[in-house]
Amino acid sequence: MKQLNLIETAFFLKKVDIFSDLDLDFLLSIADKVHQDEYDKGETVFTKGQVGNSLYLIAKGSVLSTKKTPQETLQTGDFFGDEALFNEQPRSYTATCSSDAILLILSRSNLMSIISECPNVAVRLLKHYTEILHA
């Protein structure tokens, strides 16, 4: 699977809800902070109980999450793993790739740096959480 270059990563980030209203210069800065990793179908991204220190964005492919019952399939443009960054608790579910995938990985420290530079990202995350609570 072909990895994304810096520009492609920035344009992908523009499609992700929490980053959608940011300008291209800031998106390029974020794109420079993410790490890309390829996963094979069936490969586990993380397991329940594992320490969480990264947010994952699905650039290509799909991921099965045991967070909800029934299990939820996350698609390109979705993100996951963020709740463990804020509550500093172990992961509460397992995430496994349901297809070959490219994930963009944003560390806790980089996410906190982004939030300090652009508080609107935190507001978008809060909006995302309230939508989940009311679903």
Side-chain angles (χ1 to χ4, degrees), residues 77-110:
D78 290 333
F79 61 92
F80 62 97
D82 46 305
E83 65 287 331
L85 299 179
F86 298 107
N87 68 19
E88 297 184 8
Q89 298 293 314
R91 302 274 188 200
S92 60
Y93 61 97
T94 297
T96 305
C97 290
S98 50
S99 71
D100 290 347
I102 293 179
L103 302 181
L104 303 180
I105 304 164
L106 190 59
S107 71
R108 173 186 286 140
S109 61
N110 281 333

Side-chain angles (χ1 to χ4, degrees), residues 39-48 50 94-97 103:
Y39 288 81
D40 295 324
K41 180 179 180 177
E43 190 172 352
T44 299
V45 179
F46 58 75
T47 58
K48 182 176 180 176
Q50 192 174 19
T94 297
T96 305
C97 290
L103 302 181

Side-chain angles (χ1 to χ4, degrees), residues 10-50:
F11 279 111
F12 166 76
L13 291 170
K14 184 73 171 168
K15 296 176 187 174
V16 176
D17 184 53
I18 59 173
F19 302 122
S20 62
D21 61 345
L22 302 179
D23 65 37
L24 187 57
D25 287 335
F26 199 69
L27 291 170
L28 284 167
S29 172
I30 295 171
D32 197 38
K33 293 177 178 162
V34 299
H35 168 74
Q36 289 186 51
D37 209 353
E38 292 184 38
Y39 288 81
D40 295 324
K41 180 179 180 177
E43 190 172 352
T44 299
V45 179
F46 58 75
T47 58
K48 182 176 180 176
Q50 192 174 19

